[in-house]
Amino acid sequence: MKREISVQAHRWLYLVAAILALSACEQNSIAMTGPTVEHLWLGPDVVAGPEEIASLAHLAADPVVREVSSATGDDAFVTALEAFGAGIHDDPGTSFLSLELSLGSLYSSSTLPSGGAADAAIVHEMLDLYRDHAAMTLFGIDRSALGPLTQPNGS
């Protein structure tokens, strides 16, 4: 009788282990393809102090920066800066990564009306300067040194 109970318990153990393994794989695949990836930061340590982080947040909220960012008529640039400014106090690395990914996708997908190319160039240049400044302030390194960490899919 004891052996029969042991065999049944043993079968349940295999079933439980299989379910746990499958659910872990499913969660892993979702995490690696969904928005959860934005919550991972495996880049360099943040070296900026609270005052420097606050100055980056204030600059992101500056009315002149917002006005220039919206010069193309696409509010997504302003939204990306607002999200960066709001999240930088809680998690600077993740907030920077989110800004980089957001702006990278906006640069490649922005469709401008005729004559808007000059505005887009100004906006892109201004935001690139801000991103360079943010990388240097937060991590103490050039933004280009972050390389694949700030590119979609690590490319």
Side-chain angles (χ1 to χ4, degrees):
M1 178 89 170
K2 286 184 181 181
R3 182 180 170 125
E4 189 175 309
I5 293 173
S6 171
V7 170
Q8 287 178 351
H10 192 63
R11 288 181 187 158
W12 279 106
L13 182 62
Y14 283 128
L15 180 62
V16 168
I19 290 171
L20 288 174
L22 288 173
S23 65
C25 289
E26 183 179 328
Q27 288 175 357
N28 227 4
S29 66
I30 291 170
M32 296 313 288
T33 59
T36 308
V37 170
E38 295 175 9
H39 297 289
L40 299 174
W41 175 251
L42 302 176
D45 292 334
V46 174
V47 297
E51 290 116 18
E52 294 167 318
I53 290 174
S55 74
L56 284 173
H58 289 303
L59 187 57
D62 186 271
V64 174
V65 172
R66 287 180 181 216
E67 184 178 335
V68 171
S69 298
S70 64
T72 62
D74 189 352
D75 291 336
F77 291 103
V78 176
T79 304
L81 280 174
E82 287 174 350
F84 175 67
I88 193 169
H89 293 289
D90 297 327
D91 191 355
T94 302
S95 185
F96 179 79
L97 177 61
S98 179
L99 177 71
E100 285 290 299
L101 294 175
S102 295
L103 292 180
S105 67
L106 287 172
Y107 284 3
S108 63
S109 68
S110 63
T111 55
L112 301 169
S114 60
D119 288 343
I122 291 170
V123 170
H124 291 192
E125 183 136 350
M126 188 270 307
L127 290 174
D128 281 343
L129 287 173
Y130 180 73
R131 291 158 62 195
D132 290 341
H133 172 67
M136 185 57 74
T137 301
L138 289 174
F139 311 114
I141 59 174
D142 289 332
R143 184 169 59 104
S144 61
L146 294 173
L149 292 172
T150 59
Q151 302 301 315
N153 300 323
S155 57

